[in-house]
Amino acid sequence: MNRTVLNATHVDLHTIERISRAAAHPKSQQIMIRGLLDSPAGYSALNIAVARDDLRDAALAAVRTLVEREIDVGRAWPGEAARWLSRARADWQTSAALCNHLAWYARTRHQSVLLHLGGTDHVHRPGTDQVHARALTHLHLAALRYDFRCRTITQLLDEAGEAQRTRWDPYTRALHTFAGLGQGRPGSLESMERDLGTAGDNPQVCHALLHGLWLGDGLPDQAEHILRLASWPTFDDHDPIMLFRTATALRLLGRRADALAAIDGALEALAPDQPEAHADLVRERTMITRMPSATSTSGSLT
């Protein structure tokens, strides 16, 4: 690098330090991230910061916005996301969080992972860069999850060799269980318990399993399982998706008043930029309000 570029990179590294300190102030953080990404040396600074323990989280917050820009303009983006996670030497929790967000974001922009991802080598023959392959696997499975393609998830993962299956991270295992729950497959509830025992404090794992319970058909004591999992301390009391799943379970149990309170809480808590989720919540509320009032019972939500 010449001196001008070095100086610009040094300045941008200071910007990333400021981004790190602004983690509690998302709006200010986003303003700084946009400035960083528009800087000629921003990419170089990110390459350095993403490998530093003290700056990795801030750098990945910027990477998230960077990849969102790629999605917005319709570029083939999954490989870019996986490369950044590889540079960061990301653990499975970090990969799961970023990939889950990006898969959902891309879906809302009509740029699904599935439009840009070719082949299945990342699942069946991951090669030497395990972080890169894991990121592509997380993106692939999350996209299938949001499309409710449970049979495809099951087929894709069941085709993996035994040696590869033993190396699955807890989020990949949870998505395999999600697909089993969604299809009401025998043994899926037992798989869920194992997943919770391994990584039950991870939000992405818990949300995937709760989603599978909610989607399932014919699962024994389905509503009770939903309420038990929704009460885990991993979930924030005002998490709109958790409240949405809770409302469904309460409706299935005939608890009209409690279900209505839960879905109204979900609608109040939902961010204003989530119209797709809002439509799902409104449909659930409509089903609840159509219940006979006589079935209402009082009591705790859980």
Side-chain angles (χ1 to χ4, degrees):
M1 292 185 186
N2 62 39
R3 183 173 297 276
T4 300
V5 174
L6 282 172
N7 288 340
T9 301
H10 186 69
V11 169
D12 285 338
L13 280 171
H14 279 300
T15 298
I16 296 172
E17 291 173 356
R18 291 168 53 221
I19 291 169
S20 181
R21 293 194 295 270
H25 305 282
K27 289 184 179 179
S28 298
Q29 191 181 55
Q30 269 303 306
I31 290 170
M32 287 186 281
I33 286 173
R34 288 195 292 270
L36 173 72
L37 296 180
D38 291 337
S39 167
Y43 199 95
S44 296
L46 273 181
N47 263 313
I48 297 170
V50 80
R52 282 178 46 175
D53 292 344
D54 59 327
L55 296 181
R56 183 174 292 110
D57 288 347
L60 286 173
V63 165
R64 182 170 115 163
T65 301
L66 184 156
V67 177
E68 287 175 352
R69 289 184 173 188
E70 296 289 291
I71 293 169
D72 288 340
V73 298
R75 294 195 184 103
W77 61 272
E80 182 77 356
R83 282 189 290 273
W84 280 108
L85 285 165
S86 177
R87 290 167 188 157
R89 302 185 301 278
D91 57 21
W92 72 265
Q93 296 95 327
T94 302
S95 178
L98 182 59
C99 291
N100 192 70
H101 167 81
L102 292 174
W104 177 256
Y105 183 89
R107 188 176 188 273
T108 66
R109 300 306 192 272
H110 305 288
Q111 290 295 329
S112 170
V113 177
L114 306 176
L115 296 174
H116 300 288
L117 199 60
T120 60
D121 281 356
H122 47 277
V123 177
H124 301 140
R125 290 175 290 277
T128 57
D129 191 341
Q130 296 289 321
V131 177
H132 188 277
R134 183 177 61 205
L136 291 178
T137 297
H138 286 169
L139 288 169
H140 194 167
L141 296 176
L144 292 170
R145 170 193 163 195
Y146 288 133
D147 285 350
F148 294 178
R149 294 173 61 177
C150 296
R151 286 184 297 175
T152 302
I153 292 175
T154 298
Q155 181 179 0
L156 178 66
L157 292 180
D158 283 354
E159 288 174 354
E162 186 60 32
Q164 184 56 31
R165 293 166 68 92
T166 62
R167 290 194 290 267
W168 284 351
D169 65 278
Y171 184 54
T172 298
R173 292 187 185 279
L175 289 169
H176 189 242
T177 301
F178 155 81
L181 290 166
Q183 298 170 87
R185 291 179 63 154
S188 57
L189 289 171
E190 290 78 8
S191 293
M192 179 186 73
E193 295 300 331
R194 288 194 294 270
D195 294 340
L196 289 172
T198 302
D201 61 344
N202 180 266
Q204 281 70 42
V205 166
C206 286
H207 265 298
L209 296 174
L210 188 62
H211 191 186
L213 282 173
W214 173 85
L215 184 61
D217 179 46
L219 292 170
D221 301 317
Q222 179 182 12
E224 289 83 355
H225 281 297
I226 291 173
L227 293 180
R228 181 178 68 87
L229 183 50
S231 69
W232 277 51
T234 302
F235 293 110
D236 184 275
D237 289 343
H238 301 290
D239 184 320
I241 303 304
M242 177 276 290
L243 289 170
F244 168 42
R245 313 288 189 214
T246 296
T248 299
L250 293 167
R251 173 173 57 79
L252 292 173
L253 292 172
R255 294 167 57 180
R256 184 182 189 277
D258 292 338
L260 194 59
I263 199 64
D264 284 347
L267 285 163
E268 292 291 342
L270 193 68
D273 60 347
Q274 295 184 278
E276 295 83 3
H278 185 270
D280 290 338
L281 270 59
V282 169
R283 280 191 290 272
E284 178 61 41
R285 193 181 194 282
T286 300
M287 287 189 283
I288 293 168
T289 56
R290 288 175 177 170
M291 294 171 64
S293 297
T295 62
S296 174
T297 62
S298 60
S300 164
L301 289 181
T302 58

